[in-house]
């Protein structure tokens, strides 16, 4: 069934007429050509598709477009201001916390969602928030360090 | 039933042909390479114009992973601003090939890292360096890159010497500048790039015997340099194969059989044909839909899939896989590697042990499933796809569509993981078939379920071990047979007078192929677990027992080092029924590894939680310590998955856990405390480091479980239910 939804994506209001069941990720990637949001599983179990919806991290591959009606969506493309990276992006670079990088944007968006809700998370809180994000290059150690760095905490395992 | 027994670990050479016109997106945003029919290379996007002829096409005519291009320009050329463009047929999938090959070139050119740009894996532009597999980039592709770069440096020195009319021997190159120490004169690479004769110079042959910079003098190699794409990655700008968009492009979905070996008997295409904007294609068993949106293509396919009728065939289940593999073992074809007489030794032994280990099929599950975009122009085919073998896929596509190799171009943008799982090009071929029928470019992105069902798997195995001890507790005989998984690292590194070692193929019910370290993981798991069993039978400490039988100095060094760092003797004394420590070591692909682990056991549930891993790894001179640390950490955590949870569950020709909700890969909360130590060894050439660090983790865990519980779980994965029932 076709519906018309209005949503704000990275600060720009968009009106989209499309099938009501279509996942948010398809609209982001195909209609808006924001390909920084990745699909890894299509069932909300890997976190690669993480975006922020009204400040909450959601899994865009299992979010139907109708659920985003009237909401404000932020994707990875919204984080940097000109040449200035977001602190979480900077921290991922500083720690070298990526290998293939396919999970990275979802990791960063999940971490940003966490830090906006909880600016000083403990390791346990970081791990609980990040548990839904899979990295198959298995760079979890450096990703954890990157998030510690982003909140100004020392990294237990030093980056080489 | 069809047999899929293709262990894809060999590295073939492929013949290339002349370059023709192309546009590559390469691995860089805003970075394009164009080659005209005359072989004229232009760098676009970087504001550079290069005038090189012949080189690339000459290199491609020579082709072949083992046959290196003969001219410098086929491997690298100088741009007008004094930077360099280097060419490699290798692919980047997170393992760090792009970084280390760029470091190699920069080192020998005597320029900072950022003055080198590497174009990878575009069959119209780069030489055929063979498939990216087997940890081969470091030992087999870094040296030729260095030779070409060193030759280029000498050529530029000679060019400067000619201008100054001096002997080149008195000149020095540093930081992209040639200096005549006697006169103080300098010429930058940018100045030399504009000099008459530079093109001619770069068409000279690479000097294969040229002196390379010694490890002690490395300035760019050996440094923890970040990947050149890292900024694009955190910005979400890097374009993976699944992000490629072409004008007028459709998205495609393919009909998959209901089970392995099933054949399509009938299908009604009309529900999809009635849908707006949908292209429906059927060619025998090949059925697919393409539409402007992924969602439309999926709905169209679902509509016709409902109407399909299938003829299915029987297929064994994962429950019975060990029996099946043993029954279908081709022992008649196998030739054991034997030394001494195991028969005599077993006959006269004080103690003999005999045990069987099992290995499940597992899947690579790279974060980016297979993806391919195909575009037909004037009968020629261009594909962008995630594959380890761009030239192999080019050949496959040429054969599939009756084209010459030079009518197919394969481009591999830096892709989202592989781990040995992307040696093939299925999505590209599917996209090409749909695109041909639709008359428009088509993008096929596999779903997770497709990747976990229709790609290939790391082989399952049955491994039979037999060992004998004399009255002194020395190991005197060793009999080791691997059924189905292959012969990688099957030979024991221990000194045993009588050995019989055998790799036997079988009739694999699942399509199987390469995986990170492939059979070495299973072989090392069985060997290092069984060594532990023998140590226990001899009443010896596992570390002492190994060292007593080990002469390989490199393995000894990592084993002794890891035991020291882990404080093995003291930690061993603290073992309780709920807390165990274990160790293991091994060698493969000219590198050596040893690991110590601590595990916690939940004796009621049988759950094994790995608390700590110490691993020492040595692979010769380290080209990039940051990348290597990533790779070793990645191997350790990936190894936890295969050790504890990952296994394909299948029945009636269907994979029952083709999803991340049912196929349990390691997550954040599985990560133990990790201590990675890279042992220095600059006395040998650098070996690859992305695979071998995985082989010690599973046996070390199994040995730790045994230390705590006295129970030996002889399978990968070591399932909680197995341990629970053994402890009950």
């Amino acid at each position: 069934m076709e519906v018309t939804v209005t949503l704000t994506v990275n600060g720009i209001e968009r009106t989209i007429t499309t099938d009501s069941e279509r996942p948010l990720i398809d609209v982001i990637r195909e209609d808006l050509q924001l390909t920084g949001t990745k699909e890894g599983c299509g069932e909300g179990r890997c976190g690669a598709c993480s975006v922020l919806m009204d400040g909450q991290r959601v899994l865009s591959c299992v979010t139907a477009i109708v659920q985003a009606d009237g909401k404000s969506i932020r994707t990875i493309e919204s984080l940097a201001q000109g040449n200035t990276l977001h602190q979480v992006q900077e921290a991922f670079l500083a720690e070298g916390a990526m290998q293939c990088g396919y999970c990275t944007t979802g990791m960063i968006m999940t971490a940003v969602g966490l830090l906006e809700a909880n600016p000083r998370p403990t390791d346990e809180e970081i791990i609980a928030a990040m548990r839904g994000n899979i990295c198959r290059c298995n760079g979890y150690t450096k990703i954890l360090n990157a998030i510690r760095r982003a909140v100004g905490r020392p990294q237990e395992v030093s980056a080489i | 039933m069809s047999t899929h027994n293709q262990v894809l670990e060999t590295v073939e050479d492929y013949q290339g042909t002349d370059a023709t016109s192309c546009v590559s997106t390469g691995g860089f945003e805003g970075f394009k390479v164009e080659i005209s029919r005359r072989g004229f290379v232009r760098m676009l996007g970087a504001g550079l114009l290069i005038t090189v002829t012949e080189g690339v096409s000459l290199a491609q005519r020579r082709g072949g992973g083992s046959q290196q291009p003969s001219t410098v320009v086929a491997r690298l050329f100088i741009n007008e601003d004094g930077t360099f463009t280097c060419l490699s047929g290798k692919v980047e999938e997170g393992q760090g090939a792009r970084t280390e090959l760029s470091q190699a070139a920069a080192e020998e050119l005597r320029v900072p890292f950022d003055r080198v740009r590497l174009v990878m894996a575009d069959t119209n532009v780069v030489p055929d360096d063979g498939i990216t597999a087997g940890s081969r980039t470091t030992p087999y592709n870094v040296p030729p890159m260095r030779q070409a770069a060193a030759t280029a440096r000498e050529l530029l020195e000679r060019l400067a010497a000619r201008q100054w009319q001096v002997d080149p021997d008195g000149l020095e190159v540093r930081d992209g500048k040639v200096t005549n120490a006697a006169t103080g004169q300098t010429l930058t690479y940018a100045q030399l790039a504009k000099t008459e004769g530079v093109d001619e110079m770069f068409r000279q042959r690479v000097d294969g015997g040229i002196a390379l910079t010694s490890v002690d003098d490395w300035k760019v190699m050996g440094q923890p340099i970040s990947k050149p794409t890292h900024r694009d990655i955190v910005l979400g700008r890097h374009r993976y194969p699944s992000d490629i968009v072409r004008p007028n492009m459709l998205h495609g979905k393919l009909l998959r059989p209901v089970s392995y070996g099933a054949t399509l008997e009938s299908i009604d295409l009309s529900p999809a044909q009635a849908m707006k904007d949908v292209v429906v294609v059927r060619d025998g068993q090949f059925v697919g839909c393409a539409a402007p949106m992924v969602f439309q293509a999926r709905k169209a396919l679902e509509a016709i899939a409902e109407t399909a009728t299938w003829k299915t065939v029987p297929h064994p289940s994962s429950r019975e896989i060990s029996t099946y593999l043993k029954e279908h073992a081709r022992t008649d074809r196998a030739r054991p590697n034997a030394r001494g007489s195991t028969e005599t030794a077993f006959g006269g032994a004080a103690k003999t042990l005999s045990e069987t280990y099992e290995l499940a099929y597992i899947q690579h599950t790279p974060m980016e499933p297979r993806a391919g975009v195909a575009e037909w122009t004037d009968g020629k085919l261009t594909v962008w796809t995630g594959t380890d073998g761009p030239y192999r896929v080019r050949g496959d596509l040429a054969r599939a569509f009756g084209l010459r190799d030079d009518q197919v171009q394969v481009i591999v943008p830096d892709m989202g993981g592989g781990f040995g799982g992307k040696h093939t090009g299925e999505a590209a071929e599917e996209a090409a078939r749909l695109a041909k029928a639709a008359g428009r470019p088509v993008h096929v992105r596999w779903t997770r379920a497709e990747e976990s069902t229709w790609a290939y798997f790391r082989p399952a195995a049955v491994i039979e071990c037999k060992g004998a001890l004399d009255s002194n507790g020395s190991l005197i005989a060793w009999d080791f047979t691997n059924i189905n998984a292959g012969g990688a690292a099957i030979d024991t590194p221990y000194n045993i007078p009588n050995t019989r070692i055998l790799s036997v193929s079988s009739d694999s019910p699942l399509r199987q192929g390469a995986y990170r370290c492939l059979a070495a993981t299973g072989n090392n798991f069985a060997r290092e677990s069984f060594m532990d069993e023998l140590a226990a039978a001899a009443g010896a400490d596992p570390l002492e027992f190994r060292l007593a039988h080990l002469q390989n100095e490199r393995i000894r060094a990592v084993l002794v080092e890891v035991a020291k760092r882990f404080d093995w003797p003291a930690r061993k004394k603290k073992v309780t029924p709920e807390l165990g420590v274990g160790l293991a070591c091994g060698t493969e692909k000219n590198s050596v590894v040893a690991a110590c682990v601590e595990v916690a056991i939940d004796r009621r549930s049988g759950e094994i939680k790995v608390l700590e891993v110490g691993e020492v790894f040595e692979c010769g001179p380290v080209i990039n310590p940051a990348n290597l640390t990533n790779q070793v950490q990645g191997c350790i955590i990936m190894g936890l998955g295969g050790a504890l949870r990952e296994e394909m569950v299948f029945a009636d020709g269907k994979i029952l856990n083709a999803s991340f909700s049912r196929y349990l890969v390691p997550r954040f909360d599985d990560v133990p405390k990790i201590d990675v130590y890279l042992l220095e060894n600059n006395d040998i050439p650098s070996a690859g480091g992305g695979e071998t660090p995985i082989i010690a983790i599973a046996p070390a865990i199994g040995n730790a479980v045994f230390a705590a519980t006295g129970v030996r779980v002889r399978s990968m994965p070591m399932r909680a239910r197995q341990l629970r029932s053994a402890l009950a």
Side-chain angles (χ1 to χ4, degrees):
Chain A
M1 189 186 67
E2 289 235 315
V3 290
T4 297
V5 297
T6 302
L7 64 166
T8 304
V9 180
N10 300 340
I12 302 169
E13 192 174 281
R14 308 276 190 176
T15 300
I16 288 162
T17 300
T18 191
D19 193 293
S20 60
E21 291 172 43
R22 226 171 134 220
L24 176 59
I25 190 172
D26 283 8
V27 173
I28 290 171
R29 288 177 53 90
E30 295 172 22
D31 302 26
L32 306 179
Q33 292 167 26
L34 298 169
T35 53
T37 303
K38 308 299 180 192
E39 183 160 338
C41 70
E43 56 162 357
R45 291 294 184 132
C46 80
C49 66
S50 299
V51 298
L52 301 180
M53 186 157 82
D54 287 352
Q56 299 285 312
R57 178 263 209 164
V58 295
L59 299 160
S60 63
C61 77
V62 288
T63 304
I65 189 64
V66 287
Q67 294 172 270
D69 193 14
K71 309 278 192 190
S72 173
I73 308 294
R74 279 185 289 155
T75 71
I76 187 74
E77 288 86 353
S78 72
L79 289 188
Q81 302 299 317
N83 282 328
T84 309
L85 300 184
H86 188 282
Q87 68 197 43
V88 176
Q89 290 173 313
E90 285 287 6
F92 270 68
L93 288 189
E95 291 291 330
M98 74 205 78
Q99 294 183 59
C100 83
Y102 194 82
C103 73
T104 305
T105 53
M107 290 279 178
I108 290 174
M109 291 313 290
T110 306
V112 169
L114 166 69
L115 301 194
E116 288 184 3
N118 177 5
R120 300 287 294 172
T122 62
D123 274 1
E124 290 67 32
E125 288 168 332
I126 294 172
I127 289 166
M130 302 301 296
R131 199 191 174 277
N133 289 62
I134 295 174
C135 169
R136 284 299 284 147
C137 301
N138 292 288
Y140 295 116
T141 309
K142 288 192 178 182
I143 294 168
L144 178 60
N145 278 337
I147 300 170
R148 286 171 176 157
R149 175 186 282 265
V151 300
R153 290 195 15 230
Q155 297 81 56
E156 278 179 19
V157 182
S158 64
I160 291 181
Chain B
M1 187 184 58
S2 64
T3 299
H4 300 288
N5 199 26
Q6 44 194 34
V7 177
L8 305 163
E9 182 124 292
T10 55
V11 180
E12 296 91 330
D13 295 335
Y14 306 94
Q15 285 299 314
T17 53
D18 289 1
T20 52
S21 64
C22 75
V23 175
S24 159
T25 58
F28 284 104
E29 192 68 13
F31 173 65
K32 290 178 176 171
V33 183
E34 260 193 12
I35 296 192
S36 76
R37 282 170 205 285
R38 292 176 294 118
F40 180 87
V41 182
R42 273 180 356 138
M43 307 303 302
L44 303 174
L48 308 170
L49 177 69
I50 314 305
T51 52
V52 171
T53 53
E54 294 172 36
V56 172
S57 54
L58 262 175
Q60 293 192 337
R61 258 203 300 277
R62 295 184 170 276
S66 58
Q67 243 184 335
Q68 292 300 326
S70 58
T71 64
V72 175
V73 71
R75 185 59 76 192
L76 61 96
F77 47 85
I78 188 166
N79 304 314
E80 283 193 345
D81 63 354
T83 62
F84 293 85
T85 297
C86 304
L87 307 170
S88 174
K90 290 291 166 180
V91 309
E92 171 61 37
E93 50 197 313
Q95 87 281 32
R98 179 180 290 287
T99 317
E100 75 163 352
L101 288 166
S102 302
Q103 285 177 274
E107 180 65 55
E108 302 300 342
L109 288 163
R110 307 275 187 268
V111 295
F113 179 75
D114 62 6
R115 289 198 221 161
V116 165
R117 305 195 87 167
L118 185 66
V119 177
M120 299 179 82
D122 177 335
T123 58
N124 277 18
V125 179
V126 303
D128 179 0
D129 287 318
I131 194 164
T132 302
S135 292
R136 290 174 64 92
T137 302
T138 298
Y140 296 103
N141 299 89
V142 167
M145 182 63 84
R146 294 178 68 188
Q147 287 159 6
T151 306
R153 186 192 68 229
E154 281 204 356
L155 292 172
L156 290 163
E157 264 183 299
R158 249 190 275 164
L159 204 59
R162 203 162 71 190
Q163 282 204 20
W164 292 328
Q165 299 193 323
V166 296
D167 188 337
D169 285 350
L171 304 182
E172 200 188 15
V173 186
R174 196 180 298 162
D175 201 18
K177 204 188 291 175
V178 185
T179 303
N180 183 346
T183 64
Q185 284 175 300
T186 62
L187 273 170
T188 64
Y189 278 168
Q191 288 170 315
L192 289 168
K194 297 179 195 82
T195 306
E196 182 74 24
V198 70
D199 293 355
E200 192 58 39
M201 277 273 185
F202 272 70
R203 279 199 291 275
Q204 296 200 25
R205 298 178 72 82
V206 172
D207 178 358
I210 198 164
L212 301 177
T213 310
S214 72
V215 177
D216 292 341
D217 295 327
W218 281 0
K219 291 189 174 59
V220 184
M221 294 175 76
Q223 296 300 312
I225 293 170
S226 301
K227 21 188 335 123
T229 48
H230 69 166
R231 196 176 165 90
D232 280 346
I233 288 172
V234 301
L235 286 164
R237 284 184 193 160
H238 174 69
R239 298 255 172 175
Y240 294 86
S242 28
D243 300 327
I244 299 294
V245 176
R246 300 296 299 164
N248 211 22
M249 185 179 88
L250 301 176
H251 292 275
K253 286 283 170 195
L254 281 299
L255 180 72
R256 304 294 175 191
V258 285
S259 56
Y260 291 129
T263 44
L264 184 62
E265 287 187 319
S266 72
I267 187 165
D268 177 9
L269 303 180
S270 61
Q273 285 163 336
M275 292 180 183
K276 191 166 163 277
D277 300 329
V278 174
V279 176
V280 189
V281 180
R282 177 167 186 197
D283 179 4
Q285 295 287 308
F286 182 91
V287 178
C289 297
M293 292 186 286
V294 172
F295 184 81
Q296 291 171 305
R298 197 174 80 214
K299 287 288 163 192
L301 190 82
E302 284 169 5
I304 59 172
E306 281 178 11
T307 73
T309 59
W310 299 90
K311 183 174 186 296
T312 59
V313 292
H315 195 269
S317 76
S318 46
R319 214 175 265 273
E320 60 194 305
I321 186 64
S322 292
T323 314
Y324 185 91
L325 291 175
K326 276 163 77 170
E327 282 173 2
H328 291 79
R330 300 302 307 264
T331 37
D332 52 320
R333 290 185 192 166
R335 293 277 169 279
N337 184 2
R339 197 154 59 105
S341 168
T342 44
E343 211 170 306
T344 314
F346 279 116
K351 253 184 200 172
T352 61
L353 250 61
S354 178
E355 297 295 351
T356 300
Y357 286 78
E358 294 170 352
L359 205 68
Y361 289 101
I362 62 174
Q363 222 271 331
H364 319 73
T365 59
M367 284 310 294
E368 183 185 35
R370 280 165 164 66
V373 178
E375 182 171 282
W376 291 87
T377 314
D378 302 330
K380 289 184 177 177
L381 174 62
T382 303
V383 305
W384 291 258
T385 192
T387 180
D388 293 310
Y391 276 86
R392 169 188 282 184
V393 170
R394 185 181 73 165
D396 288 348
L397 290 169
R399 277 188 293 279
F401 294 100
L403 301 171
R404 298 188 313 271
D405 281 349
D406 67 349
Q407 293 172 303
V408 181
Q409 178 184 10
V410 176
I411 300 163
V412 183
D414 293 12
M415 62 181 180
F419 317 110
K422 289 181 180 167
H423 286 194
T424 47
E426 298 87 346
E429 185 174 334
E430 290 161 0
R433 293 181 83 162
L434 291 174
K436 198 171 188 197
R440 292 167 68 172
V442 171
H443 195 159
V444 170
R445 276 194 287 129
W446 281 23
T447 62
R448 179 58 53 193
E450 287 176 303
E451 186 72 23
S452 297
T453 306
W454 300 104
Y456 53 86
F457 304 93
R458 185 198 70 185
V462 177
I463 303 175
E464 293 165 344
C465 309
K466 204 173 163 193
L469 300 165
D470 67 12
S471 51
N472 300 320
S474 284
L475 186 47
I476 52 167
W478 179 263
D479 191 317
F480 190 94
T481 301
N482 180 322
I483 299 170
N484 190 53
I490 197 170
D491 290 326
T492 175
Y494 296 104
N495 288 80
I496 308 165
N498 306 289
T499 57
R500 182 179 176 278
I501 292 163
L502 185 62
S503 171
V504 184
S505 66
S506 186
D507 176 15
S508 173
L510 297 193
R511 185 187 184 206
Q512 61 185 22
Y515 187 97
R516 198 175 206 171
C517 242
L518 194 54
T521 296
N523 284 327
N524 208 56
F525 171 66
R527 177 169 52 245
E528 284 296 290
S529 303
F530 197 56
M531 282 298 288
D532 229 60
E533 299 202 49
L534 289 161
D541 174 81
L543 175 62
E544 299 306 324
F545 185 75
R546 281 173 176 78
L547 290 173
H549 293 90
L550 194 56
Q551 279 172 8
N552 181 315
E553 288 300 332
R554 290 177 68 198
I555 306 178
R556 286 182 71 95
V558 289
L559 185 57
V560 167
E561 184 67 31
V562 79
K564 191 176 89 190
R565 293 176 70 86
F566 189 79
D567 201 7
W568 172 259
R571 298 283 285 274
K572 202 175 150 255
K573 290 195 188 101
K574 292 181 192 158
V575 165
T576 71
E578 286 87 28
L579 194 76
V581 294
L583 58 75
C585 57
T587 180
E588 167 67 349
K589 297 182 166 70
N590 200 27
S591 63
V592 292
V593 64
C596 286
V597 306
E598 181 182 74
V599 301
I601 312 290
D602 181 331
R603 297 182 68 95
R604 281 177 57 191
S605 67
E607 291 289 341
I608 300 162
K609 170 88 178 161
V610 179
L611 301 178
E612 186 179 336
V613 176
E615 188 159 298
V616 176
F617 181 61
E618 185 261 289
C619 59
V622 177
I623 295 172
N624 187 322
N627 186 64
L628 184 59
T629 303
N630 269 342
Q631 287 284 64
V632 178
Q633 288 178 347
C635 276
I636 289 170
I637 298 170
M638 183 171 261
L640 295 180
L644 297 178
R645 284 201 296 259
E646 289 180 42
E647 59 177 317
M648 303 319 302
V649 181
F650 54 95
D652 301 321
K654 293 184 175 70
I655 299 290
L656 304 178
N657 58 344
S659 67
F660 278 138
S661 53
R662 280 173 288 180
Y663 184 83
L664 304 178
V665 299
R667 290 177 180 268
F668 259 99
D669 50 355
D670 295 312
V671 178
K673 181 182 167 197
I674 295 176
D675 171 44
V676 168
Y677 185 72
L678 307 176
L679 199 66
E680 191 176 290
N681 179 2
N682 291 341
D683 299 334
I684 57 164
S686 302
E691 300 190 70
T692 305
I694 204 172
I695 69 174
I697 186 77
I701 293 170
N703 295 340
V705 170
F706 174 78
T709 63
V711 174
R712 184 64 65 177
V713 186
R714 295 187 186 88
S715 71
M716 282 183 73
M718 291 170 258
R719 304 170 187 91
R721 65 179 142 85
Q722 288 172 284
L723 184 56
R724 184 174 61 231
S725 60
L727 289 171

